[in-house]
Amino acid sequence: MEAKRIRAPLTDADVMGLKAGDNVLISGVIYAARDAAHKKLVELLEKKEALPFDLKGQFIYYVGPTPAKPGQVIGSAGPTTSGRMDSYTPKILENGIKAVIGKGSRSAATVQAFQDYKGIYLAATGGAGALLAKTIKEAEIVAYPELGPEAIRCLVVEDFPATVINDAYGNDLYEEGRRQYVVK
Amino acid sequence: MREIDMAVVSATVAEICKEANYYLGEDVIGAFKKGLAEEVSPVGREVFKQLLENARIAREEEVPMCQDTGTAVLFVELGQNVRLVGGDFNEALNAGVRRGYTEGYLRKSIVKDPLQRINSGDNTPAVVHLQIVPGDQIKITLAPKGGGSENMSALKMLTPSQGSKGLVDFVVETVSRAGSNPCPPVVVGVGFGGNFEKVAYLAKKALLRPLGQPNRDPFYADLEKEMLEQINKTGVGPQGFGGRFTALAVHIESYPCHIASMPAAVNINCHASRHAERVI
């Protein structure tokens, strides 16, 4: 199956054009943020304070990269387990984020939020950090440098490969894949 | 008595921190190739292709195969005829981790306190398992352990009447419930027997065995086979996208236990089953 090419900012129509199981290649800007950064972002949203970047139509990638070696843009940079972000994701989607990238299953409330706010959940190959780093062309810390690997980074990617897991229609690739291959 | 200087211990630990994170073992590479050849799911085969390419890049460019370069878990076998000189042994191990993770551009993933969550900045402290053995050498094995798969691990105090079925069901359920989260295809370390704390240690230790090498005891070798078959019927597959390769191997380590008890622990490792060792 031909991969669909997508880039930020995503519109509702872009999201509705993607289905669980679709392979995508992402180019352009994505924001790296994981556990500690999500906690801070949601605290700012609850206090209605200014955010370090505009969420509208953007991607968040759950990643905490290794330090760049001399000559590298970024170190190894594969996805971390997404479930830990479940308590924050509905709030993040409500405020404009359209796509989140990680690995592993999401809670029922988060899956519902992808439908309610027209968002998608994408998985990249967990443990392929050296390979995925090759698609990252620029990386810059935009907030919370004190968090080290958990700082928010603005990444510019080219043909970053991912697969749609949860779409805005309520489909779930993990459940469908498992149903297809389970041996009873 | 043979004298071993702490500077040598630190330098050795620093080296194996880098080695374990850059160079995936041939046993794991072999398991990926088998997966690429035998996985029935096309998406699953694509995952194996990516993992092989990822391992090649990591090895050739000397970069970590995964951004989660783990908790530094050290298994140390200290010969009883070794005299440790030139400083504090535990500090030497941690100094090695500090140096290896800094020089090797590895991620610092340890927070100083589970609730206050301030990064220690150098991936210390390591988790150290020390055993005194005969001889005049020190064997150090480093197994960097990722957080995502560690979070999917479980321990259960089974009772004797639950028998081997109780153990098999617990292991299979734990891996099945973990689903796509721990970066399948996983390696499953099973600790069985001992007591509450011993069984968790055994599960971790089971992960060190070369992939797919069966238990020396045919009884447990059969159980490992049965568990692997059942796990690979769950349909989870590579990365949870669906398929037959949910686990690459199941390794059991057992130990005698109390007449009332039958403890079991499942330590899940992602496909990046990394370890490196040196004998000083």
Side-chain angles (χ1 to χ4, degrees):
Chain A
M1 188 176 55
E2 186 84 2
K4 295 183 175 173
R5 291 178 180 277
I6 54 175
R7 71 165 59 231
L10 292 178
T11 63
D12 282 359
D14 293 332
V15 169
M16 299 312 280
L18 294 167
K19 287 273 179 65
D22 285 353
N23 290 319
V24 299
L25 290 171
I26 305 160
S27 293
V29 167
I30 63 176
Y31 288 93
R34 49 172 289 161
D35 308 58
H38 271 74
K39 185 165 187 276
K40 287 185 182 281
L41 286 177
V42 167
E43 278 167 5
L44 290 175
L45 285 169
E46 277 165 359
K47 286 190 277 183
K48 299 195 179 354
E49 288 179 15
L51 299 179
F53 68 100
D54 183 4
L55 305 189
K56 197 169 162 29
Q58 299 300 313
F59 290 71
I60 284 182
Y61 179 24
Y62 305 144
V63 61
T66 57
K69 279 171 82 166
Q72 277 188 318
V73 169
I74 195 166
S76 296
T80 192
T81 313
S82 308
R84 296 193 312 272
M85 268 50 82
D86 278 336
S87 52
Y88 308 115
T89 303
K91 190 85 185 164
I92 296 276
L93 293 167
E94 186 189 345
N95 285 277
I97 288 289
K98 280 293 178 197
V100 293
I101 312 163
K103 54 112 179 165
S105 55
R106 309 307 305 257
S107 68
T110 302
V111 171
Q112 184 61 46
F114 290 118
Q115 293 181 72
D116 294 347
Y117 303 114
K118 294 191 172 56
I120 43 166
Y121 170 48
L122 303 152
T125 299
L131 179 71
L132 290 166
K134 297 277 183 194
T135 69
I136 301 172
K137 304 301 172 187
E138 292 173 38
E140 189 192 352
I141 292 182
V142 293
Y144 317 126
E146 70 281 7
L147 294 179
E150 296 204 67
I152 296 182
R153 289 171 168 81
C154 176
L155 309 177
V156 177
V157 296
E158 215 174 279
D159 290 344
F160 179 99
T163 303
V164 180
I165 303 295
N166 295 112
D167 59 26
Y169 301 95
N171 298 308
D172 186 321
L173 179 69
Y174 290 139
E175 284 179 11
E176 287 165 24
R178 199 164 169 155
R179 259 199 304 275
Q180 195 181 341
Y181 291 99
V182 69
V183 182
K184 297 238 163 109
Chain B
M1 295 290 273
R2 179 174 164 236
E3 287 195 350
I4 294 179
D5 196 280
M6 290 309 97
V8 177
V9 170
S10 290
T12 304
V13 170
E15 259 177 53
I16 56 178
C17 287
K18 292 180 260 184
E19 186 180 312
N21 278 291
Y22 299 163
Y23 314 129
L24 191 59
E26 283 306 316
D27 54 340
V28 186
I29 301 273
F32 289 173
K33 287 182 178 162
K34 184 170 186 277
L36 180 60
E38 295 177 15
E39 174 58 63
V40 292
S41 138
V43 198
R45 287 197 297 275
E46 178 58 31
V47 170
F48 281 116
K49 216 181 281 175
Q50 286 193 22
L51 296 182
L52 283 165
E53 177 64 3
N54 186 66
R56 185 193 63 79
I57 295 171
R59 173 175 293 274
E60 285 177 9
E61 300 185 10
E62 300 197 313
V63 294
M65 62 192 83
C66 178
Q67 74 290 338
D68 187 351
T69 51
T71 299
V73 182
L74 288 163
F75 289 84
V76 181
E77 291 178 21
L78 174 62
Q80 63 194 25
N81 296 327
V82 172
R83 193 163 162 262
L84 303 167
V85 296
D88 175 327
F89 183 59
N90 272 306
E91 177 42 36
L93 295 173
N94 279 308
V97 168
R98 190 175 297 128
R99 203 168 121 194
Y101 274 71
T102 306
E103 286 176 2
Y105 297 93
L106 306 179
R107 197 178 77 183
K108 288 75 183 173
S109 309
I110 302 300
V111 290
K112 289 186 209 171
D113 176 272
L115 278 175
Q116 293 168 58
R117 307 205 72 82
I118 308 294
N119 199 301
S120 72
D122 57 15
N123 219 51
T124 67
V127 172
V128 179
H129 302 293
L130 179 63
Q131 200 183 354
I132 309 286
V133 298
D136 62 357
Q137 295 179 319
I138 309 176
K139 181 178 170 189
I140 304 176
T141 306
L142 170 77
K145 186 64 174 69
S149 57
E150 192 77 354
N151 283 352
M152 297 294 122
S153 304
L155 192 155
K156 197 167 183 182
M157 300 306 284
L158 298 170
T159 50
S161 68
Q162 290 177 276
S164 65
K165 185 176 185 304
L167 174 65
V168 173
D169 287 353
F170 170 56
V171 173
V172 176
E173 274 167 31
T174 301
V175 180
S176 178
R177 197 178 326 116
S180 54
N181 293 320
C183 285
V186 294
V187 178
V188 185
V190 179
F192 190 44
N195 63 358
F196 184 76
E197 79 275 11
K198 178 85 177 179
V199 77
Y201 162 80
L202 291 171
K204 179 76 77 204
K205 201 172 174 206
L207 293 171
L208 299 180
R209 202 193 301 159
L211 222 63
Q213 179 183 304
N215 195 296
R216 275 191 303 259
D217 179 339
F219 174 78
Y220 282 109
D222 283 349
L223 269 184
E224 288 172 346
K225 214 172 140 208
E226 185 186 340
M227 287 174 186
L228 182 62
E229 278 170 15
Q230 287 201 31
I231 287 167
N232 286 341
K233 283 181 181 170
T234 58
V236 172
Q239 293 294 311
F241 295 153
R244 297 282 150 71
F245 279 76
T246 301
L248 299 173
V250 178
H251 296 161
I252 304 173
E253 287 292 317
S254 63
Y255 196 81
C257 69
H258 190 277
I259 49 173
S261 300
M262 201 174 83
V266 181
N267 195 201
I268 299 184
N269 205 107
C270 59
H271 52 74
S273 179
R274 302 161 283 190
H275 31 92
E277 62 177 53
R278 285 278 196 292
V279 177
I280 304 172

